[in-house]
């Protein structure tokens, strides 16, 4: 990485997708407070757009879905992404105006903030001609947040660690979704804290008044709750058949999201009643993702959910969608 590169004037726009988690298996918290995960990320065609323009001072503007809920200062992950790229490349005196057009709702379990950070990395890398490879950008992305690396690559991928270690997954075909957005966001950290509490309460109930035996973590056996990839889900994804994938969608954070927003039970039930092949809270929620058999079915589910009044609004999307991509003259580069 070099410090001799001069920024080129002008602006660069990048389009970046939201994600849903087809599987989210969560282990007990690590010493650093993060939870070990095995997750199957799936990028969907609900996109934010980020434009960076050479400027005298760095600034941030947000327009669109939930714009008022997003900070426009250094605390924003997109701003941090630009700063991290400056730091990683040794580039000095480079400032940008970052403009984010949001369609991905905020605090929705769709990784919208992470997507904007990933898009900012790609856009600044192009604007400043820093020439970092995707692999180098992924290292910077992992330092920004657990979901940021996936937004760079998109598609369908297995995430491990805290979600940042990615392996692309073999998934055939395309999948049609209806996404039901909630009235209020859910803060990710609180959802993880809630699942820890629910699990501790369940373990205490199961143990009863007596002390639990110490043989549970004997050598060679994974500790209870160690997250594992769902092989039936991976096989179903390779078949490209949404009817096989739907029943295998799973999310360990769902009980926490449901306990924080009990009305999501009705949302999930309404989607199932209207024939969704699978219904799951996405990530830390509150967005509920419904898998449909085809585009017309997704439309039917979306219309029915809107009529049922069990969510704020419904969007349709297909996956897998590509990761963060530069847009040139209105076309994806
Ligand atoms: O990595 P990111 O900043 O997106 O995570 C937001 C919060 O979600 C973390 O501060 C942590 O509380 C929680 N988290 C976690 N385990 C993960 C990912 C996120 O506990 N694997």
């Amino acid at each position: 990485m070099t410090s001799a590169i001069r920024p080129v004037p002008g602006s660069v726009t990048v389009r970046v997708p939201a994600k849903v988690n087809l599987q989210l298996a969560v282990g007990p918290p690590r010493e650093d407070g993060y939870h070990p995960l095995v997750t199957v990320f799936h990028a969907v065609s609900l996109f934010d757009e980020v434009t960076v323009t050479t400027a005298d001072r760095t600034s941030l503007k947000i327009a669109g879905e939930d714009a008022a809920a997003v900070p426009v200062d250094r605390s924003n992950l997109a701003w941090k992404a630009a700063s991290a790229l400056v730091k990683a490349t040794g580039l000095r005196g480079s400032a940008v105006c970052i403009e984010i057009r949001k369609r991905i709702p905020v605090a929705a379990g769709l990784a919208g903030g992470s997507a904007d950070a990933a898009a900012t990395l790609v856009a600044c890398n192009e604007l400043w001609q820093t020439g970092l490879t995707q692999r180098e950008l992924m290292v910077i992305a992992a330092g920004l947040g657990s979901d940021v690396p996936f937004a760079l690559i998109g598609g369908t991928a297995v995430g491990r660690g805290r979600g940042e270690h990615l392996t692309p997954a073999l998934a055939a075909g395309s999948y049609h979704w209806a996404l039901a957005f909630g009235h209020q966001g859910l803060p990710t950290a609180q959802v993880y804290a809630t699942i820890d509490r629910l699990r501790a309460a369940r373990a205490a109930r199961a143990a009863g008044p007596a002390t639990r035996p110490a043989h549970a973590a004997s050598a060679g056996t994974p500790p209870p709750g160690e997250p594992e990839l769902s092989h039936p889900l991976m096989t179903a994804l390779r078949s490209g058949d949404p009817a096989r994938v739907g029943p295998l969608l799973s999310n360990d954070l769902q009980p926490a999201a449901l306990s924080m927003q009990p009305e999501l039970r009705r949302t999930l039930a309404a989607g199932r009643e209207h024939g969704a092949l699978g219904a799951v809270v996405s990530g830390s929620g509150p967005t509920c993702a419904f898998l449909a058999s085809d585009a017309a079915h997704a439309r039917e589910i979306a219309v029915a959910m809107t009529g049922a009044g069990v969510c704020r609004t419904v969007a349709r999307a297909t996956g897998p969608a590509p990761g963060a991509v530069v847009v040139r003259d209105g076309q994806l580069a």
Side-chain angles (χ1 to χ4, degrees):
M1 301 190 196
T2 172
S3 58
I5 301 162
R6 295 276 309 142
V8 295
S11 68
V12 175
T13 296
V14 168
R15 192 190 79 166
V16 68
K19 62 83 188 161
V20 295
N21 301 79
L22 308 182
Q23 183 198 2
L24 180 49
V26 179
R30 311 187 305 203
E31 278 188 1
D32 64 1
Y34 279 91
H35 294 69
L37 305 180
V38 174
T39 187
V40 181
F41 288 116
H42 180 72
V44 293
S45 60
L46 175 68
F47 299 105
D48 278 359
E49 267 187 11
V50 176
T51 300
V52 296
T53 307
T54 305
D56 295 332
R57 290 175 52 225
T58 294
S59 63
L60 187 56
K61 294 181 197 160
I62 320 248
E65 181 87 21
D66 294 346
V70 185
V72 288
D73 57 18
R74 283 166 199 280
S75 69
N76 188 295
L77 209 53
W79 190 311
K80 289 183 184 171
S83 304
L85 187 61
V86 168
K87 198 169 165 210
T89 55
L91 195 64
R92 280 174 208 286
S94 40
V96 276
C97 169
I98 306 167
E99 292 175 86
I100 303 176
R101 282 172 297 287
K102 291 207 69 64
R103 286 184 59 219
I104 308 173
V106 173
L110 297 166
S114 301
D116 299 339
T120 304
L121 283 179
V122 172
C124 289
N125 191 39
E126 178 79 12
L127 180 73
W128 296 333
Q129 302 277 290
T130 19
L132 265 58
T133 62
Q134 189 179 67
R135 190 177 283 266
E136 287 169 325
L137 289 180
M138 284 180 71
V139 173
I140 302 173
L144 292 166
S146 311
D147 294 339
V148 184
F150 175 71
L152 290 174
I153 64 167
T156 305
V158 176
R160 290 194 169 79
R162 55 185 174 85
E164 81 282 31
H165 298 306
L166 297 170
T167 320
L170 282 172
S174 60
Y175 296 86
H176 297 267
W177 299 91
L179 304 173
F181 303 143
H183 290 279
Q184 276 193 322
L186 277 174
T188 308
Q190 283 181 31
V191 178
Y192 276 97
T194 301
I195 201 64
D196 290 343
R197 269 201 307 279
L198 292 177
R199 286 174 166 180
R202 194 179 56 195
R205 276 198 306 276
T211 316
R212 296 182 77 188
H215 57 67
S218 59
T221 5
E226 200 63 26
E228 282 180 22
L229 184 63
S230 162
H231 293 288
L233 173 65
M234 300 314 284
T235 307
L237 284 170
R238 281 195 293 275
S239 79
D241 180 358
R244 289 181 62 186
V245 171
L248 297 171
L249 301 174
S250 68
N251 180 359
D252 283 359
L253 291 181
Q254 186 162 303
L258 295 183
S259 83
M260 295 169 80
Q261 292 194 1
E263 65 276 17
L264 295 178
R265 288 178 201 282
R266 279 182 57 219
T267 315
L268 290 171
R272 288 192 196 102
E273 275 161 28
H274 290 105
L277 303 173
V280 74
V281 169
S282 178
S284 53
T287 302
C288 294
F290 301 102
L291 184 57
S293 47
D294 54 27
H297 186 208
R299 197 173 311 118
E300 272 171 38
I301 296 172
V303 169
M305 297 295 296
T306 308
V310 289
C311 54
R312 177 167 60 86
T313 175
V314 188
R316 283 178 294 127
T318 56
V325 185
V326 174
V327 181
R328 282 201 186 88
D329 304 324
Q331 309 280 320
L332 300 183

